[in-house]
Amino acid sequence: MWGVIKSVLAAFFGVQKEGQRRQDFEQGRPVPFLVAGVLMALVLVGLVALVAVLASR
Amino acid sequence: MRTLLVLLAGGGLLAGSLQTALANGWNMPVGVTELSGEIYSLHMIIFWICVAIGVVVFGVMFYSLFRFRRSKGAKAANFHENTLVEVIWTAIPLLILVGMAVPATATLKKMYDASDADLDVMIIGQQWRWRYDYLGEGVAMTSNLATPRTQIRGDEPIDASANYLLEVDEPLVLPVGQKVRFLFTSDDVIHSWWVPELAIKQDTVPGFINENWVRIDEPGIYRGQCAELCGVDHAFMPIVVRAVEEEEFEAWLASRREAAEEEAMGIDREWQMSELMERGEQVYGSVCVSCHQQEGTGNPPAFPALAGNEQLLSDADWHTSTVINGVSGAAMPAFRNTLNPVEIAAVVTYTRNAWGNDTGDSVQPSEVAERLSD
């Protein structure tokens, strides 16, 4: 679980260790990555909205 | 090390010359509203961030090219990935971007807040003039280019004391210190109402209404232009804003309202031929002349000649309704909203009797008013 989150975070950031990437592709199943990706996209949208609200105060 | 110093000095020189260029009118104006000042500051902050990034990146690059050149026996490193370096070069731009986005968002939200305005002005783009309607005040006007066509064509020298191609017959008059909301739309194609000193560049789109607002701090004349290519006379529809003190604005508005009421009363009376001709020549000179030309010769095939035009001469009804409704699918716009009945009657009468079109007949404002109400 934590491994999936870490890998999705790395994908959002755009940088991943080669070894970790290999491991994810060889051992992981795709569905948990997809779910984590969608959820994290929502969190990102929330964060951007939060920054926008704070910025205009 | 010495090379690095040289590069840094070069960077400093670049920044210095940029500063000089900016101070000499190459930059955007600070403007005359609170928001235009904020936009200017944002622009400058982001500009200097970009300059710093450019100096650092190219400095490191040129230094490396020079210091580690092959003739000095440099050997290229051969490795595939380095997560730490990648994290650093991702995190730094991220921080820079968020750092720029925070103040920019704050300004953007203020720009979009057009609520609680003291005055609403509708700005309507039209090929090739602007119309201003002070909503709820009973005052509306058409703002045409005031530079004579003869100067544009080069038949007479340009008047150096005037503002060539940046002058209009009717400036948009606005009060200082008040929040003015603009509603933008267009009658034909997309135009863009652009006044740099007010930090407004807003598209006017047919069928849509865009919003923007200003609160001008200083009285003065502010000039702008259409910023969206809109046809052959795109360059000839400038914008002039005259910002005045509130009392002066109220007086101006009242006098305009009175004049509009007087004009409305004039619709019902019988007009003399000479009155209609005089008024018609004025209207022709501001509205029609750009396409149909000074002598009514037009510019065929897009803009037909009016002088000696058979259809026009034989059919006054057709003539009037063409001015009112325009020609569908052609360049001729409908003037039913742009000109009032007096102006339409006058310009029809004028074009039926000028440049050898001696029909001798006149069209009365009351007839036009009747048609408009149909």
Side-chain angles (χ1 to χ4, degrees):
Chain A
M1 183 63 191
W2 177 235
V4 172
I5 292 174
K6 253 170 71 179
S7 287
V8 173
L9 274 176
F12 268 61
F13 192 71
V15 180
Q16 173 67 296
K17 284 199 192 75
E18 178 62 19
Q20 186 64 47
R21 188 187 72 83
R22 248 180 236 285
Q23 197 187 332
D24 286 341
F25 273 79
E26 277 159 13
Q27 292 168 11
R29 290 180 304 118
V31 175
F33 288 96
L34 292 175
V35 172
V38 169
L39 289 179
M40 241 174 267
L42 293 176
V43 171
L44 182 68
V45 170
L47 273 175
V48 171
L50 186 72
V51 171
V53 169
L54 290 179
S56 57
R57 281 226 278 196
Chain B
M1 196 60 221
R2 229 179 59 202
T3 331
L4 193 64
L5 281 177
V6 170
L7 284 168
L8 280 176
L13 205 66
L14 175 76
S17 48
L18 279 173
Q19 184 88 67
T20 315
L22 293 177
N24 284 303
W26 288 77
N27 201 1
M28 68 186 285
V30 181
V32 290
T33 71
E34 186 194 331
L35 275 178
S36 72
E38 276 189 33
I39 292 167
Y40 176 81
S41 309
L42 275 174
H43 163 74
M44 289 317 293
I45 291 168
I46 292 169
F47 173 79
W48 286 117
I49 290 174
C50 292
V51 170
I53 292 170
V55 168
V56 169
V57 169
F58 283 97
V60 169
M61 195 178 92
F62 287 131
Y63 173 76
S64 309
L65 282 172
F66 181 74
R67 174 78 175 72
F68 303 106
R69 58 193 188 276
R70 189 150 65 164
S71 61
K72 292 282 178 193
K75 282 258 188 307
N78 196 356
F79 63 95
H80 180 254
E81 61 163 317
N82 185 330
T83 311
L84 180 66
V85 173
E86 285 178 37
V87 167
I88 290 172
W89 82 41
T90 310
I92 291 175
L94 183 78
L95 291 176
I96 293 173
L97 284 175
V98 171
M100 295 195 296
V102 167
T105 306
T107 302
L108 210 56
K109 285 191 73 171
K110 279 189 219 166
M111 288 166 65
Y112 276 97
D113 180 17
S115 59
D116 296 324
D118 302 311
L119 176 71
D120 288 337
V121 179
M122 185 114 186
I123 296 178
I124 303 147
Q126 197 185 52
Q127 286 172 324
W128 291 275
R129 60 188 61 86
W130 296 99
R131 275 168 51 216
Y132 303 118
D133 192 345
Y134 294 77
L135 297 178
E137 304 287 348
V139 175
M141 61 203 191
T142 304
S143 179
N144 295 286
L145 176 71
T147 304
R149 293 277 150 181
T150 44
Q151 287 184 21
I152 297 172
R153 278 200 309 268
D155 297 346
E156 76 177 81
I158 290 166
D159 180 359
S161 63
N163 291 277
Y164 181 69
L165 295 187
L166 287 175
E167 49 193 340
V168 298
D169 54 357
E170 287 274 18
L172 174 65
V173 180
L174 295 175
V176 298
Q178 293 212 318
K179 184 165 182 175
V180 181
R181 180 170 69 143
F182 295 135
L183 298 164
F184 298 89
T185 191
S186 168
D187 276 347
D188 35 49
V189 300
I190 303 177
H191 304 269
S192 184
W193 198 83
W194 177 38
V195 181
E197 296 278 357
L198 305 184
I200 290 189
K201 183 194 266 174
Q202 186 81 57
D203 278 7
T204 69
V205 185
F208 285 81
I209 292 185
N210 286 326
E211 252 187 356
N212 212 322
W213 65 275
V214 285
R215 182 180 278 120
I216 302 175
D217 291 333
E218 285 171 43
I221 304 275
Y222 308 113
R223 293 174 200 276
Q225 283 173 294
C226 179
E228 182 68 59
L229 188 56
C230 60
V232 64
D233 273 6
H234 166 61
F236 302 154
M237 51 184 293
I239 298 152
V240 179
V241 174
R242 190 160 72 86
V244 298
E245 297 293 349
E246 207 182 324
E247 304 91 70
E248 193 183 339
F249 174 75
E250 291 301 336
W252 174 85
L253 199 63
S255 77
R256 277 312 171 96
R257 197 181 295 127
E258 211 169 283
E261 280 161 10
E262 208 168 289
E263 181 99 324
M265 304 234 292
I267 292 171
D268 293 327
R269 74 177 170 85
E270 184 84 5
W271 283 60
Q272 300 291 320
M273 186 72 173
S274 57
E275 288 179 286
L276 287 170
M277 286 298 281
E278 192 185 322
R279 188 67 190 276
E281 188 172 2
Q282 267 174 25
V283 176
Y284 188 86
S286 61
V287 178
C288 316
V289 71
S290 59
C291 301
H292 293 295
Q293 306 301 318
Q294 199 75 43
E295 296 301 318
T297 52
N299 210 347
F303 308 126
L306 301 182
N309 183 314
E310 300 277 330
Q311 191 170 16
L312 176 146
L313 291 171
S314 64
D315 193 345
D317 260 7
W318 172 85
H319 185 181
T320 312
S321 83
T322 302
V323 175
I324 292 175
N325 299 316
V327 179
S328 155
M332 177 73 182
F335 285 99
R336 59 164 61 241
N337 297 321
T338 317
L339 300 176
N340 65 39
V342 174
E343 290 168 327
I344 293 176
V347 82
V348 170
T349 304
Y350 175 73
T351 46
R352 296 187 71 69
N353 294 285
W355 335 287
N357 284 2
D358 296 318
T359 59
D361 50 41
S362 67
V363 176
Q364 286 297 321
S366 53
E367 298 169 46
V368 176
E370 207 166 297
R371 267 167 187 273
L372 284 170
S373 62
D374 284 349

